[in-house]
Amino acid sequence: MDLHDFLRRIPKVELHVHLEGSVKASTFVELARKHGVKLPPHDKPEDLYDYPDIYRFLQIYDLVARAVRDRDDFRRITYETLQEAAEHNVRYREMFWSPKVHMDLGVPYDTAIDGIRDGIRDAERDYGIRCKMIAGINRMEPPEKGFEMVKTVIENPRDELIGIGMDYAEADNPPEKFWKAYRLAAQHGLHLTAHASEDAPPRNVETCLDLLGCERIDHGYHVIEDEALTRRCAEEGVVFTVCPISTAWVYFGNNLANHPIKEMARRGLKIMVNCDDPPMFKTNPTKEYIVMAEYMGFSPADFREFVLNGIDGSWLDDPTKRRWRREWAWEIDKLMAQLEKEAG
Ligand SMILES: [Zn+2]
């Protein structure tokens, strides 16, 4: 066993993956054909996921959302991404999706969430992987739209939908815009998270924690620009869901060695590892760990800690968290011992 095998074999939790960003290129092409969605010229499906810049990425992301329309489409894309995750030993995922994007395209909320539910159940039956969903607010829209989305989620409860998040362009769309939507969600027992300080000052992390009541932070890279806030987050054990490959590409000049993730961990922040939009950034759950080992110098013991941080940051019940922490730590220790023996 070498380091790559080790990183593939360790059990994983993921808390930051977007369903619409997880559609395989070949599935995207098939669904686009099925629903008459016109695609840009391409030789093979994967070419569609080659973009020169973020604008083209967003354009393709929008086309993917347009290509997913009926219940079976949602079942299929959910099943396929969970199947892939299970191959990388992801055992539990909390996954974002954007209900409003589909509703605005004429897809009823029920159709989408029930298809997703079918996919989750089929994947658990076939691969043992578990998954829960987080409904994402599009922060580029007016606050009323976010509030309405939360109302829709509350009026159509499903066991698989356990929280809300907030994504899309952060600049000019600070989290305080959506305080009412978050308050409503909290009143109805939904869990809370948000993309924050991914591309904006550290203040957004503070707003998410103190005003919106977020239980964890997605990305949060700019938090390290505020020393006091960084210390506070480290002391309180706030979990940050980091995504090395996608954000290196979009924000940090594709320079993984200089990605703030390295500094976040050095300052004692509780980070855990995710693949964000795997096929769209040509990544997968294991590859994120590999680049962190290769470009940021993290060790097997660091990854052990990141995995356990993922359990802590999840919205599983406490007895399950305690049990998984114990069992997974033991399992990873065994793999570490094997890795050391074979290396040395
Ligand atoms: Zn994200």
Side-chain angles (χ1 to χ4, degrees):
M1 181 170 57
D2 62 14
L3 181 64
H4 289 201
D5 298 329
F6 169 79
L7 294 174
R8 188 178 185 109
R9 285 171 63 177
I10 49 174
K12 298 173 186 72
V13 162
E14 286 185 310
L15 306 176
H16 188 155
V17 178
H18 299 266
L19 177 64
E20 294 85 351
S22 299
V23 180
K24 288 200 290 194
S26 53
T27 302
F28 172 33
V29 169
E30 280 177 37
L31 294 180
R33 195 175 303 134
K34 173 175 163 186
H35 296 296
V37 176
K38 208 170 157 343
L39 297 179
H42 58 280
D43 290 329
K44 38 186 206 317
E46 289 70 27
D47 297 347
L48 291 165
Y49 288 166
D50 280 328
Y51 351 83
D53 54 46
I54 180 80
Y55 303 102
R56 179 60 174 233
F57 164 76
L58 290 172
Q59 197 189 346
I60 295 291
Y61 197 89
D62 177 64
L63 287 173
V64 172
R66 284 172 192 276
V68 185
R69 296 203 62 86
D70 60 39
R71 180 167 170 168
D72 191 62
D73 301 340
F74 283 92
R75 183 204 60 77
R76 176 176 175 182
I77 64 169
T78 306
Y79 182 85
E80 287 181 352
T81 184
L82 292 176
Q83 175 184 19
E84 194 207 26
E87 286 165 9
H88 291 273
N89 218 1
V90 174
R91 300 199 184 151
Y92 177 69
R93 180 187 272 179
E94 287 167 9
M95 183 157 60
F96 296 109
W97 71 296
S98 304
K100 278 279 287 139
V101 169
H102 305 287
M103 288 162 74
D104 290 348
L105 293 166
V107 177
Y109 181 81
D110 284 0
T111 301
I113 191 68
D114 288 334
I116 291 169
R117 193 150 80 144
D118 296 341
I120 290 175
R121 289 176 180 177
D122 290 355
E124 181 166 357
R125 180 199 60 214
D126 294 348
Y127 306 105
I129 185 171
R130 289 171 56 185
C131 179
K132 299 284 183 187
M133 300 303 293
I134 307 167
I137 291 173
N138 178 351
R139 70 198 318 155
M140 294 167 80
E141 291 196 327
E144 298 74 33
K145 298 279 180 192
F147 189 81
E148 264 171 46
M149 193 279 280
V150 173
K151 261 175 73 180
T152 303
V153 167
I154 291 165
E155 284 162 6
N156 299 275
R158 301 286 189 283
D159 287 346
E160 286 78 4
L161 193 304
I162 59 171
I164 66 157
M166 171 163 41
D167 44 39
Y168 285 85
E170 189 177 9
D172 305 323
N173 298 298
E176 54 268 32
K177 249 176 82 176
F178 294 97
W179 68 273
K180 281 188 187 169
Y182 273 75
R183 189 180 61 179
L184 180 68
Q187 283 166 346
H188 287 81
L190 289 165
H191 289 289
L192 311 172
T193 187
H195 287 44
S197 305
E198 170 188 10
D199 184 34
R203 182 177 185 271
N204 283 1
V205 165
E206 197 171 41
T207 308
C208 286
L209 294 173
D210 294 336
L211 179 69
L212 303 189
C214 289
E215 297 153 81
R216 62 183 188 234
I217 298 291
D218 301 310
H219 298 300
Y221 311 118
H222 291 276
V223 72
I224 53 174
E225 290 157 21
D226 182 329
E227 227 167 278
L229 182 61
T230 301
R231 215 173 313 121
R232 173 195 159 185
C233 289
E235 277 164 19
E236 291 178 7
V238 175
V239 171
F240 290 82
T241 70
V242 302
C243 310
I245 290 177
S246 63
T247 53
W249 187 81
V250 180
Y251 301 113
F252 303 108
N254 224 353
N255 187 342
L256 280 154
N258 273 339
H259 200 300
I261 290 172
K262 199 171 152 184
E263 183 63 13
M264 290 170 83
R266 198 187 67 78
R267 300 237 209 135
L269 293 175
K270 239 174 141 172
I271 63 166
M272 51 79 60
V273 186
N274 307 272
C275 58
D276 212 1
D277 304 300
M280 295 196 78
F281 284 101
K282 302 195 182 338
T283 181
N284 61 53
T286 305
K287 198 171 162 190
E288 301 288 339
Y289 284 75
I290 291 175
V291 298
M292 287 175 76
E294 285 180 359
Y295 293 93
M296 303 177 195
F298 290 118
S299 68
D302 294 324
F303 292 117
R304 176 188 193 273
E305 192 180 322
F306 301 157
V307 167
L308 301 181
N309 289 345
I311 297 175
D312 289 347
S314 77
W315 296 329
L316 289 157
D317 60 275
D318 285 335
T320 304
K321 283 188 188 186
R322 278 197 296 275
R323 184 165 55 82
W324 282 15
R325 273 195 72 96
R326 211 172 46 240
E327 292 172 359
W328 292 24
W330 180 79
E331 193 177 335
I332 298 170
D333 285 343
K334 258 192 6 189
L335 288 167
M336 275 170 69
Q338 199 184 335
L339 177 68
E340 243 168 73
K341 205 173 106 202
E342 287 172 24

